[in-house]
Amino acid sequence: MRLTRSHWAATVPVVMFATVSELVFYSAQTKPYTTDTLLVTALLLVAVVHIQTGKAETGKRHTGKGDLVWYACLAVFPWFSHGAMLSIPLLACWVAVVHWRRRQRSLAQLSVRLAFPAASVLAAALWSRHLTNQVPDFATYWDRFLGPETPSDWWHWTTFAFQHLAHHELGARLWWAGLALAVAGAVAAFQRSKATAPLLVLPTITAYVAGLLGVYPFGHRLISFCVPGLVICVGVLVDETAARVGRNAFARAAAGVLTAALILTTVWTTPTRLHHDLTYLYGGDDYRSALTFVASKWNDSDLLLVGNGDRAAVRVYGPRLGLPAHRTWRAIPTTDKTPRHNCPLPTTIAHAPKIWLITGDVVTIYTGTTSRTALAAPLLQQFHVAYAHDKGRVTVQTLIPGAAPKSWETRCLTYKPVGPPGTP
C-alpha cells in the first residue's frame, strides 16, 4: 500500500527538503552529513520494498529478491555513515518483526540472517567510538545536544532539542506547529500502512535516544538524516486530508492544494530566510580572508593563536600563506570549568611580543560565551587588545604586552601547537 496517492501531495516534502537551509548548505559540500541523509533514505526505500514483497499472502515464505540487497545494506552502510549506523538496529528489528508476524520468516531464520549485519554494526560503532575518543573536544563542542546533565533536566533538554530540530532541520517558523504536523502525518501514515509507516520515524527515535544517553549529539547537521522521513509524514498528512473530502477528484485536488499551501506557510523556508541563512553559514566558514590579512602583517616574532575548532583552517591555509607552523598554536578547553585569575600560559605564548587571535564566530570554544571572548580572556592579565575586526564572520584580534584595563575571572585553557593535518 502506497503511503501517498497523488503527485501533488509529494510537492510539500519536496519543497521542504529543497529549501531547508542546513540541508541545502551541506548538499553543496563534500561532507558526511549528505552521505548520512542519502544512505538512511536508501535504507528506508529498501526496507519498504522488502516489507511489501509478498505481503498479500500471510504465511507464504518470503522469497523476494530484495533479501540480498537489504542485508547487504545493513552490513555495509554503517561503515560509511553514522546516521545509518544509528538507524539500522531499529529499522532491521522492525522489518524482522513484520516478517515474523506474517509468518514469512521464523525467529531462527531471522536471527541467522541478522547475525552478520549485527556484528558489522557493532564493529562500526566500536570503531567510531575509538575515533571519537581521539578528539577530546568533540563532547565539549556538542555538549548542549548530548543529553541532560541530570535526570530532572530531561523535559527541558527534550523541549530544547525538538525545538531546534523543528526550527533548523524542518525549517518551521513555529516550532510547535512543525512538530505537530510531523506527528499528525505519522499518525495518518500509520492508519494507511501499519507495516511501513513506522519506518519514517524510527531514525528520529533512534537519534533522540542516542542523544538522551549522551552517545551521539541530537542536533544540527548530525541529525539531518531524520528529515526525509519526517517531511514524508507531512506529505502524507496533505494526501490524507484531501482523501477524506470525498470521491470528487476536483474537490480532493482543491482540498489538497489548500492544505499544502497552509502547511507551507508554516514550514516553508522562504527565499529571504534561505538567503540569510546561507550567507551566514558560508560566511562562518571563511577563514581565508582573515588568515590572508594576518599573513600580510606578519613578523617573524609574532604568534598565531586559534580556537581548537579553528585548527583545520589554519592547517589548510597556513602553509599556503607562509605562516610558520611552529608559531601557530591552538587553545583547548580544560575539564576544570572554575573561573580564575592568572591562568597559566606556556612560555612561548607568555613571552610573545604580539599575538594574533583568530576565531570563527560560529565555532565555540566552550558553551556560554563567544569564541573571541573565551580565547582572549585568559590572556588579559598580561596582554591587551590593540586591534579587533570581523573578517568574513571570523574575528581577528591583535594582543600586545601590557595588562588590559579590565580583566576578569575566566575559564582557563590549555595550549598546543596546531600541528599538521591528520593530528587530533
Side-chain angles (χ1 to χ4, degrees):
M1 179 180 185
R2 291 190 305 169
L3 291 176
T4 57
R5 300 186 178 94
S6 56
H7 295 296
W8 47 265
T11 60
V12 172
V14 169
V15 171
M16 291 176 60
F17 196 72
T19 58
V20 174
S21 305
E22 287 201 8
L23 298 182
V24 174
F25 174 66
Y26 288 108
S27 68
Q29 301 188 22
T30 305
K31 292 280 191 176
Y33 321 116
T34 309
T35 306
D36 287 344
T37 306
L38 173 65
L39 294 188
V40 173
T41 304
L43 280 171
L44 297 181
L45 292 173
V46 176
V48 169
V49 172
H50 197 52
I51 284 178
Q52 291 182 337
T53 302
K55 68 176 181 179
E57 300 182 47
T58 299
K60 180 180 178 181
R61 188 175 184 275
H62 190 279
T63 57
K65 296 180 180 179
D67 257 23
L68 179 60
V69 175
W70 173 242
Y71 292 112
C73 290
L74 297 183
V76 174
F77 283 8
W79 295 94
F80 296 93
S81 164
H82 282 105
M85 182 183 69
L86 291 171
S87 302
I88 280 173
L90 279 187
L91 292 176
C93 286
W94 178 252
V95 172
V97 167
V98 171
H99 286 157
W100 174 71
R101 292 181 63 183
R102 291 176 179 169
R103 299 194 298 278
Q104 294 173 327
R105 294 287 189 206
S106 67
L107 288 178
Q109 290 173 325
L110 290 168
S111 298
V112 170
R113 284 167 171 76
L114 289 172
F116 181 71
S120 181
V121 172
L122 178 60
L126 292 174
W127 178 245
S128 174
R129 189 71 173 174
H130 168 72
L131 294 178
T132 303
N133 288 337
Q134 313 252 339
V135 186
D137 61 324
F138 177 83
T140 302
Y141 183 81
W142 292 103
D143 183 57
R144 289 186 301 165
F145 302 102
L146 281 170
E149 292 187 4
T150 63
S152 61
D153 294 332
W154 168 76
W155 177 248
H156 175 75
W157 180 83
T158 297
T159 303
F160 157 75
F162 278 98
Q163 284 181 0
H164 195 280
L165 168 68
H167 183 68
H168 289 277
E169 277 66 55
L170 294 180
R173 289 181 290 282
L174 300 174
W175 70 267
W176 54 268
L179 290 181
L181 290 171
V183 171
V187 172
F190 185 77
Q191 291 175 340
R192 289 192 171 188
S193 175
K194 294 179 175 60
T196 56
L199 296 172
L200 301 177
V201 297
L202 286 179
T204 304
I205 293 173
T206 307
Y208 168 71
V209 172
L212 187 65
L213 298 176
V215 176
Y216 185 83
F218 184 71
H220 270 308
R221 54 197 179 272
L222 293 181
I223 56 170
S224 58
F225 62 88
C226 300
V227 176
L230 297 179
V231 298
I232 290 173
C233 287
V234 178
V236 173
L237 179 63
V238 176
D239 207 35
E240 182 65 17
T241 303
R244 289 179 179 272
V245 171
R247 295 185 176 181
N248 183 280
F250 178 78
R252 287 201 305 269
V257 170
L258 178 60
T259 305
L262 290 174
I263 288 176
L264 288 178
T265 59
T266 301
V267 296
W268 179 44
T269 305
T270 64
T272 302
R273 178 182 164 189
L274 181 62
H275 179 267
H276 172 271
D277 291 351
L278 292 180
T279 300
Y280 181 75
L281 285 167
Y282 279 107
D285 281 344
D286 186 12
Y287 291 82
R288 181 171 50 187
S289 61
L291 288 166
T292 300
F293 173 78
V294 171
S296 69
K297 307 291 185 181
W298 186 264
N299 293 317
D300 291 340
S301 59
D302 291 354
L303 186 137
L304 174 62
L305 181 61
V306 300
N308 197 46
D310 309 302
R311 65 191 183 281
V314 179
R315 290 171 179 173
V316 171
Y317 293 115
R320 301 179 186 178
L321 297 171
L323 296 172
H326 69 283
R327 301 294 293 176
T328 57
W329 287 62
R330 55 190 167 117
I332 305 170
T334 62
T335 55
D336 182 8
K337 300 180 181 181
T338 306
R340 55 180 289 191
H341 280 296
N342 297 317
C343 290
L345 300 175
T347 302
T348 302
I349 295 178
H351 293 167
K354 182 166 62 177
I355 302 176
W356 294 94
L357 305 184
I358 290 185
T359 52
D361 293 348
V362 296
V363 182
T364 57
I365 294 176
Y366 52 81
T367 58
T369 188
T370 60
S371 58
R372 67 188 77 172
T373 301
L375 187 62
L379 307 174
L380 297 182
Q381 294 287 323
Q382 300 184 39
F383 297 87
H384 64 275
V385 179
Y387 171 86
H389 192 67
D390 186 335
K391 298 283 185 181
R393 294 187 178 83
V394 175
T395 300
V396 179
Q397 301 177 83
T398 305
L399 272 62
I400 58 177
K406 180 182 178 182
S407 62
W408 56 92
E409 289 186 339
T410 185
R411 182 173 170 179
C412 297
L413 304 170
T414 59
Y415 303 91
K416 293 182 180 179
V418 166
T423 54

